[in-house]
Amino acid sequence: MAFPITRHRRLRRTAGIRALVRETALGSSDFIYPIFVTHGDNIKEEIPSMPGVYHFSMDRLEAEIRDVVASGVGAVLLFGVPEHKDAVGTSAYDSEGIVQRATRAIKQWAPELVVVADTCLCQFTDHGHCGIVHQDEATGTAVVDNDRSLELLVRTAVSQAEAGADIIAPSNMMDGFVHAIRSGLDEAGYGDIAIMSYSVKYSSAFYGPFRDAAHSAPQFGDRKTYQMDPANVREAVREAESDVAEGADMLMVKPALAYLDVLRMLKEQFDLPVVAYNVSAEYSMVKAAAANGWINEKAIVLETLTGMKRAGADIIITYHAKDAARWLRGEEV
Ligand code: PBG
């Protein structure tokens, strides 16, 4: 008898057959679209390293929110770019802070749109670190005051919930932040507000364009004393385990592309929804190559996002969200 050659091509022969056997489906309900909000009037300013992504003042935000809803994307992640910065990040937990104001407005314009609030201090501190941090004189490194940072992060989360945020997304990487924020929200009467924890956040060069965009580059040292070493994966399990024990509702891996193995591992080891953050430099690289005509942007983006889903992401935070949602509907953008 002849050697039985498996006819893989039988299942690839037509678009209809390929659709029947496709294992991963990407849809607009998978996406969260990040938005940068700022003070001032009539501002819609493009971020140079992130073409197509803007800073919006409140008066220009409504049109953007309407566009997000029209694209079919159901959730936004808000980042504030404040006027005022100080050592303790005061405007992060001000009820009139930019994220709080934007949240209230979005809930009026589009009550169904899910608002995720980034809970971190780095855009709001003059030193650009994610918590209360001082510089070690001898080595120049950033020394974190974990417990004082937690107090301020809890205040930030509660003020965001008060403003109407549906999901709190702490990205600060302080130890115990999920427990502290969960207790703070519960005590303030926000027991129903979910926490999307940036459980596994690597100290990464892929945040470069975001730091320009959010004016949040550290002014001394770096984030290596609180963000994870890119070489580690077993440590990611420990980070995720503690977040689950502390009450996280969703687990995030960030960045996404260089860390798909980590995403897959969290998916296999935990039963919470897993979130991939397709970060700023991943976006900028695609936009730069596309602008040069070196790649087919639409095909690259859809393939990349499909890869993240296949690796285990239930949710993808991506600056491509609006475009991808429209492409998936067969529209050109
Ligand atoms: C702040 C924060 C960062 C990002 C999201 N929240 C930057 C950082 O940790 O320096 C990066 C997002 C991106 O690159 O798209 N804590």
Side-chain angles (χ1 to χ4, degrees):
M1 205 180 94
F3 184 75
I5 296 170
T6 310
R7 299 279 184 183
H8 298 290
R9 278 181 293 103
R10 282 179 192 142
L11 298 183
R12 298 174 190 157
R13 198 168 52 82
T14 69
I17 298 172
R18 290 194 295 277
L20 281 175
V21 300
R22 187 160 299 131
E23 298 172 34
T24 309
L26 197 61
S28 56
S29 60
D30 300 326
F31 303 143
I32 299 178
Y33 185 59
I35 295 185
F36 296 91
V37 287
T38 192
H39 294 279
D41 293 314
N42 198 23
I43 296 171
K44 180 180 177 183
E45 197 178 301
E46 193 168 45
I47 297 158
S49 54
M50 301 176 74
V53 179
Y54 302 83
H55 285 175
F56 291 97
S57 55
M58 291 292 296
D59 55 335
R60 299 290 296 271
L61 185 61
E62 183 172 359
E64 176 69 3
I65 294 300
R66 305 239 172 258
D67 191 47
V68 172
V69 172
S71 76
V73 171
V76 291
L77 169 60
L78 293 184
F79 289 106
V81 184
E83 257 164 357
H84 170 79
K85 295 181 192 246
D86 58 32
V88 292
T90 308
S91 39
Y93 36 89
D94 180 349
S95 61
E96 286 305 311
I98 189 65
V99 171
Q100 289 80 356
R101 289 180 55 201
T103 303
R104 286 194 292 267
I106 293 170
K107 283 291 162 188
Q108 300 241 307
W109 298 324
E112 305 298 320
L113 190 67
V114 175
V115 174
V116 186
D118 179 79
T119 306
C120 195
L121 300 183
C122 64
Q123 291 107 266
F124 304 91
T125 50
D126 50 14
H127 46 68
H129 281 288
C130 303
I132 302 306
V133 165
H134 69 267
Q135 186 170 21
D136 180 79
E137 299 293 336
T139 60
T141 54
V143 183
V144 174
D145 184 342
N146 202 81
D147 295 356
R148 263 200 81 208
S149 305
L150 289 183
E151 265 172 59
L152 301 181
L153 290 161
V154 170
R155 284 175 66 178
T156 305
V158 169
S159 75
Q160 291 167 337
E162 232 161 48
D166 299 289
I167 298 177
I168 297 299
S171 63
N172 53 83
M173 290 298 276
M174 298 297 122
D175 285 323
F177 69 86
V178 175
H179 174 259
I181 289 176
R182 183 70 274 156
S183 320
L185 289 173
D186 290 353
E187 274 163 33
Y190 298 107
D192 284 348
I193 300 300
I195 299 180
M196 173 189 283
S197 172
Y198 286 59
S199 313
V200 184
K201 180 168 179 181
Y202 286 94
S203 176
S204 171
F206 282 95
Y207 310 145
F210 175 95
R211 290 180 187 172
D212 293 342
H215 308 151
S216 64
Q219 298 303 301
F220 57 81
D222 52 36
R223 303 209 205 290
K224 290 195 171 81
T225 51
Y226 47 99
Q227 297 184 349
M228 269 184 58
D229 182 342
N232 294 355
V233 65
R234 282 151 46 83
E235 187 184 359
V237 183
R238 299 202 296 277
E239 282 277 4
E241 267 168 359
S242 60
D243 282 6
V244 172
E246 290 177 29
D249 300 287
M250 307 176 202
L251 303 174
M252 191 192 300
V253 176
K254 178 181 172 192
L257 267 187
Y259 300 90
L260 294 181
D261 57 325
V262 184
L263 209 60
R264 160 58 53 189
M265 200 204 53
L266 289 201
K267 179 73 165 203
E268 281 169 359
Q269 302 225 3
F270 300 94
D271 57 8
L272 294 180
V274 176
V275 186
Y277 197 142
N278 177 211
V279 299
S280 55
E282 296 172 4
Y283 175 85
S284 302
M285 294 191 302
V286 170
K287 293 304 260 192
N292 276 295
W294 295 337
I295 58 171
N296 173 339
E297 181 178 356
K298 171 179 167 182
I300 292 273
V301 168
L302 294 179
E303 185 175 333
T304 302
L305 298 177
T306 301
M308 290 171 194
K309 249 210 124 172
R310 193 196 59 239
D314 298 289
I315 300 168
I316 304 172
I317 302 173
T318 177
Y319 304 97
H320 298 291
K322 288 192 299 176
D323 291 349
R326 291 190 160 109
W327 286 325
L328 289 168
R329 283 208 305 241
E331 291 170 23
E332 289 309 316
V333 296

